[in-house]
Amino acid sequence: MFNDDAYFRFGNLIGYRDSFSDTTLTNDKLVGILQQAIKSSNLTLICFDDKNRLTYANSKAFEMFNVTSSESLEKTFFEWIQTPSKQIEYSNWCQIFESCEGEKVFDIICHHMNSSEGKLRSTIYIIDECIPGSSGKAGVRYRQMHDPLTGLLNREGFCHVVEKYRSFHRSDSGAHYLIITNIRDFKLINQINGDKFGDSILKTTGRIIKSLMYADDIYGRLYADKFAILVPEKNYDKAMYHSMINLIRSQIASEKQILRIQAGVYKMDTMTDDVSAMCDRAMMALNSINSEDPVTFAFYDPEMMKQAITEKIVVTHFESALKGGEFRIYLQPQVNQNEELIGCEALVRWKRDDNTVIPPNAFIPVLEKSNLISHLDTYVWEMAALKLREWKHTEFRDLYISINVSPRDMEFMDVYEVITGLVRKYGIDPEKLHLEITETALMRNPSGVSEMILRLKEDGFIIGIDDFGSGYSSLNMLKDIRADIVKLDMGFLSKSDNEDRSRIIIDSVIYMAKRLGMSTVTEGIETPQQYEELSSMGCDIYQGYLYSKPVSVMDFETKYSRIYKSESII
Ligand code: C2E
Ligand code: CA
Ligand code: CA
């Protein structure tokens, strides 16, 4: 049962440092001593075999659970403990136990003994009362500071412990890291699989964090799926956090559930920020993550604070600005191969009271992130539809207006209903309203979007794929999406170091689009040479600064009222 090494270590423990060859300490004697120690220990010790059948429990265990038979102990124990994951060799957590004596808090250590092939052999639980007599005030305080689900510190506890730590380490020279982890789409996981499944994810996460941290790391669950860890630099090891996150994923991920875990990291050289400022910064880093990768780390950068302030301003003022008419559409002309005006793209601008004009790149991504984009797009589409109705009886009657559809619009409204509703309301020809849908929108929900495109096409709308080539699966997508137009961005394509290769790509896309029965629009045309070149490749429609920047509707109408369709517009 005991090998020489075990003998040697036990000998050291009891101060018997000589060789054991002539010892009177036999196997039986050693086992006897240990058994006696366990029996009379104040710790609860419970052991199970690989099938979770009780193999040993000391008298303290029977006493704690107030049972007399092994069967009852097995049952009562598992009802309380809920089996932790089998692959973690060691885990340690706190848990409340209610008995006739009231509530007590216990610290539980769980060891899984595995064979060399990694097969579970036995599990040993060592249970110790955290604060003896904690059914009184100690228990109340403990509960205020701890999360009952994971046994870790809760937000209040974490902040309290970090502040205490800070009071001792404020002038330390070493850096610290505050890490906040997030499980992507946790709400959705809960909705699909039920709260119990969600709870088991959180419990496993808590146990793994606890089992891997150093004694001087501070960690807790702030709320929902957000766990926070404060680590001094000497303990910080990014590779270890990657492994930790991968371990959490491997424990929880199942066939039906792929987990993506993200971490926001704030590195501080001094401990001058208070705990809420630290958490804010780690959260900003976390919120900056767009990646769909299974594991992503993002570090706080002061630019994020600036960005957060801008976002706050946009979100705060958006609704009133929309009501107050601060959003306007600007129009940018599109011309055919003879450089005659045939339509335009509606591009939104935010014109503030002080006449400053904010470009869309400064607010559209923010509105997309905060789920407000559909309010703006509905407004822009309505402005475009209104303009088309007005133009019906003017020289602009043949022009179309192309509107942008954000990938997020599809999540918040029935785009088909809104668009067809506008056409009915304003009595316009669907062919005059072109829709630009980006590749990202198509990739997020390919079957849903492709079905919507088919319905819109049946109703006579013209659909274009915006920024073609900027996504990952452009070619594959063309197979399933029956759009009318492929829109290429010159600026995007000519950024390549190798212009010759870009040219070959553009030429091939135009050729391919033609064979698929689609027209091509190239935007970002700035020079006559670009026009010449694209024209020789067979591009159908052109848009860019060469013809005009996006201009206000009034300027557009003034500029094109006379020359429209009568001659080339440059
Ligand atoms: P986009 O749809 O790809 O629009 C083309 C952008 O390229 C426009 O920028 C336009 O001003 C710019 N552009 C046009 N010709 C040239 C050129 O020759 N050279 C250069 N360098 N740029 C050119 P803008 O208006 O700032 O719009 C930026 C993006 O904002 C748009 O990209 C679109 O994704 C988004 N956006 C604009 N209006 C709306 C809207 O009403 N709804 C939604 N969802 N997105 C919009
Ligand atoms: Ca566009
Ligand atoms: Ca574009």
Side-chain angles (χ1 to χ4, degrees), residues 332 345-349 359-361 364 368 373 376-377 380 404-406 409 436 438 466-467 487 489 523-526 543-546 548 550:
Q332 188 176 29
E345 178 177 2
L347 293 154
V348 71
R349 298 288 180 268
N361 289 340
I364 285 191
E368 286 181 332
I373 188 68
L376 177 68
D377 276 344
V380 169
N404 286 283
V405 179
S406 158
D409 287 333
E436 294 187 13
T438 55
D466 203 358
D467 300 337
K487 195 166 180 185
D489 189 325
E523 64 184 323
I525 308 273
E526 293 183 348
Q543 175 185 348
Y545 293 172
L546 174 62
S548 165

